[in-house]
Amino acid sequence: MPIEPELSDTQKNIINEAEKLFANRGYYGVSLRDISGSCGISLNLIRYHFGSKDDLFRFAIQRRTKTMNRIMLSSLNKNIQAAQGELSIYTVVSAYVTAFDVLNSKKHKWRNYLKLLIHCDSLTDKPELIKGLRQAYQIVFESYVSAFERCGLSNKNANLAVYFMHTVVGQSAVEVYSISHLSNNVCDPNNDPSHTDQKIRFIANGLLTLTD
């Protein structure tokens, strides 16, 4: 099944429930029977539309990649143009974090998908499941590596910079509710307009160590 096709209401119901369950329980914690029970659609019909559990998981992690890539690259290009030749690590980090936070905001129903993407980082024993996702994301990774190189980082350190940035941003998105709970809502990223800038400065200052 192609990525981001027009889906029927039944298909949307199945894939939305699958995305939510996989995001919250992980690949190994979800069965097709769980998805069937959650969305109220028979196992046979789920298999008819999406095939096996692996096929459904692949579809779930890849269905939003075109939209996500467009947003991530648009944010980077906008910041590069605004920098007018004075590109900095802060500028590149700002592009990535801002785009990710927009997707993770209450205005976008992407939180489950973002949590699912972060979960994929742990599926090192299932490379065949995430191969398509890696390939789809490669253009974003390479574009941000190139931007960091323009900031003076070596190719090796530019690759590390994107990896570190991705990890921090992704984990903070997954743990957004935990920090609110642990701090007794003293830290509430969802209602703190300074949170995005704080995260940008935290990551950018850390990446400055790669310039040595």
Side-chain angles (χ1 to χ4, degrees):
M1 185 175 288
I3 298 172
E4 296 189 29
E6 290 295 324
L7 299 176
S8 67
D9 288 343
T10 297
Q11 290 172 319
K12 288 178 182 177
N13 191 359
I14 294 169
I15 196 64
N16 287 339
E17 287 301 315
E19 181 180 275
K20 180 174 67 176
L21 290 176
F22 282 132
N24 289 296
R25 300 185 193 174
Y27 169 80
Y28 290 108
V30 178
S31 66
L32 286 183
R33 190 172 300 279
D34 293 328
I35 296 169
S36 174
S38 182
C39 65
I41 296 173
S42 71
L43 277 172
N44 287 338
L45 196 53
I46 292 175
R47 291 193 180 102
Y48 171 78
H49 285 298
F50 294 101
S52 67
K53 171 184 168 179
D54 283 6
D55 292 331
L56 179 55
F57 186 84
R58 288 190 189 95
F59 185 86
I61 64 176
Q62 293 185 60
R63 69 164 174 154
R64 302 184 193 270
T65 52
K66 287 184 179 179
T67 301
M68 185 168 184
N69 284 0
R70 184 174 67 249
I71 292 172
M72 301 300 290
L73 293 175
S74 176
S75 183
L76 178 61
N77 291 333
K78 179 181 177 181
N79 278 23
I80 289 175
Q81 291 175 6
Q84 297 181 338
E86 297 295 328
L87 197 60
S88 67
I89 287 177
Y90 181 92
T91 302
V92 179
V93 173
S94 177
Y96 195 94
V97 173
T98 300
F100 211 96
D101 278 7
V102 167
L103 292 172
N104 196 43
S105 70
K106 291 182 178 179
K107 295 179 181 179
H108 292 77
K109 297 180 180 179
W110 278 57
R111 286 183 178 172
N112 285 327
Y113 182 70
L114 296 179
K115 289 174 68 175
L116 180 54
L117 292 189
I118 300 305
H119 167 68
C120 288
D121 289 339
S122 67
L123 289 175
T124 55
D125 60 330
K126 286 281 189 178
E128 73 282 357
L129 274 183
I130 58 177
K131 181 179 179 181
L133 176 65
R134 299 288 193 211
Q135 292 174 338
Y137 180 70
Q138 193 65 29
I139 186 173
V140 172
F141 188 89
E142 291 175 353
S143 296
Y144 277 86
V145 167
S146 177
F148 278 127
E149 288 178 323
R150 290 174 59 182
C151 298
L153 297 186
S154 66
N155 178 260
K156 176 183 177 180
N157 284 348
N159 276 272
L160 286 172
V162 178
Y163 170 73
F164 291 150
M165 179 173 64
H166 166 79
T167 302
V168 172
V169 173
Q171 290 299 324
S172 66
V174 172
E175 297 297 327
V176 66
Y177 300 110
S178 295
I179 187 61
S180 298
H181 174 73
L182 292 172
S183 67
N184 211 13
N185 289 322
V186 171
C187 298
D188 186 2
N190 290 320
N191 295 302
D192 183 357
S194 67
H195 177 69
T196 295
D197 186 59
Q198 290 171 341
K199 189 158 46 178
I200 292 169
R201 287 188 283 110
F202 174 81
I203 297 171
N205 286 335
L207 295 184
L208 286 175
T209 62
L210 296 176
T211 62
D212 296 338

